[in-house]
């Protein structure tokens, strides 16, 4: 059975913006974000360097790069949340994730520092998210790449998906290669 490139890129599908974010849905997103570091660590901590340096798809990032990308991306996300909570509709600073993934720390560094970073970062992020009121979650920032206003409740949805998306890149590669 052949797996399509689209399925390799998006093993859980593309993010779908919910029409309405209920308190129950927000709780699910926060719990997903809170659980991500432990789930990621469980999947990668016992992999050897050859496995960590295996791409999850043709012309894709290696598992090592995915782990470091999650740390980079989620650091930026928390900063964007804090900017939106402390400024009126700030224009955030984008970054070139594809270039960051090619830097030495992403391509060759051990993954333990990024796993530790994610653990602490997500603990802080969860604490912050749980403290927010519904009106806080309606605060927003502007992403200059498309000029769109991004609400914090929507961004919570995106990052709950983002962690699961990259986790699936790893778990699906492990299944295809029969790695335990």
């Amino acid at each position: 059975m052949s797996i399509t490139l689209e399925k390799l890129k998006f093993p859980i599908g593309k993010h779908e913006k919910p029409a309405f974010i209920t308190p129950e849905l927000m709780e699910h997103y926060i719990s997903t974000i809170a659980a991500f570091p432990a789930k990621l660590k469980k999947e990668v901590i016992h992999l050897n360097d050859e496995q960590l340096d295996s791409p999850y798809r043709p012309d894709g990032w290696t598992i090592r790069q995915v782990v470091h990308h999650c740390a980079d991306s989620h650091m930026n996300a928390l900063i964007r949340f804090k900017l939106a909570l402390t400024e009126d509709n700030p224009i955030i600073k984008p970054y070139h994730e594809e270039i960051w993934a090619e830097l030495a720390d992403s391509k060759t560094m051990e993954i333990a520092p990024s796993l530790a970073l994610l653990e602490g970062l997500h603990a802080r992020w969860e604490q912050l998210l749980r403290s927010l009121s519904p009106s806080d979650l309606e605060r927003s920032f502007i992403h200059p790449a498309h000029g769109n206003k991004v609400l914090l409740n929507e961004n919570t949805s995106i990052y709950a998906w983002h962690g699961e998306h990259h986790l699936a890149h790893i778990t699906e590669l492990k299944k295809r290669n029969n790695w335990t």
Side-chain angles (χ1 to χ4, degrees):
M1 177 174 97
S2 173
I3 300 173
T4 67
L5 184 58
E6 187 72 6
K7 185 68 175 167
L8 291 172
K9 285 182 179 181
F10 299 100
I12 64 168
K14 293 183 179 181
H15 177 261
E16 294 182 17
K17 181 179 172 180
F20 182 74
I21 298 177
T22 64
E24 295 77 21
L25 202 48
M26 182 56 64
E27 174 55 36
H28 170 72
Y29 296 149
I30 295 170
S31 296
T32 300
I33 287 170
F36 175 69
K39 289 168 71 174
L40 178 64
K41 183 176 183 176
K42 178 180 176 261
E43 294 299 336
V44 299
I45 197 68
H46 299 295
L47 297 178
N48 63 39
D49 282 336
E50 182 180 342
Q51 292 167 323
L52 288 170
D53 293 328
S54 298
Y56 70 87
R57 67 172 171 84
D59 299 318
W61 289 339
T62 65
I63 292 175
R64 184 183 311 274
Q65 286 172 296
V66 169
V67 171
H68 294 309
H69 161 72
C70 287
D72 291 341
S73 177
H74 295 194
M75 278 190 293
N76 275 284
L78 181 58
I79 289 167
R80 292 169 180 178
F81 268 76
K82 289 184 167 229
L83 287 170
L85 290 166
T86 60
E87 299 177 22
D88 290 328
N89 214 26
I91 298 172
I92 57 96
K93 172 86 172 105
Y95 73 104
H96 298 284
E97 63 184 41
E98 66 285 352
I99 299 172
W100 284 35
E102 294 301 319
L103 296 173
D105 64 322
S106 293
K107 288 191 85 164
T108 62
M109 188 173 164
E110 293 298 320
I111 60 171
S114 283
L115 293 173
L117 189 153
L118 283 163
E119 185 177 339
L121 178 80
H122 279 246
R124 291 190 64 189
W125 201 359
E126 177 189 11
Q127 175 74 24
L128 179 64
L129 286 167
R130 292 197 185 284
S131 76
L132 300 180
S133 69
S135 63
D136 291 332
L137 289 165
E138 293 291 323
R139 293 187 63 90
S140 61
F141 58 82
I142 302 291
H143 198 298
H146 43 68
N148 291 344
K149 181 189 286 191
V150 180
L151 299 177
L152 292 184
N153 60 10
E154 294 169 6
N155 212 36
T156 306
S157 163
I158 291 166
Y159 276 90
W161 170 85
H162 186 260
E164 294 298 302
H165 164 72
H166 285 304
L167 189 63
H169 285 147
I170 295 165
T171 58
E172 292 302 310
L173 177 62
K174 287 174 65 177
K175 284 180 201 171
R176 288 192 308 273
N177 289 337
N178 294 315
W179 299 339
T180 57

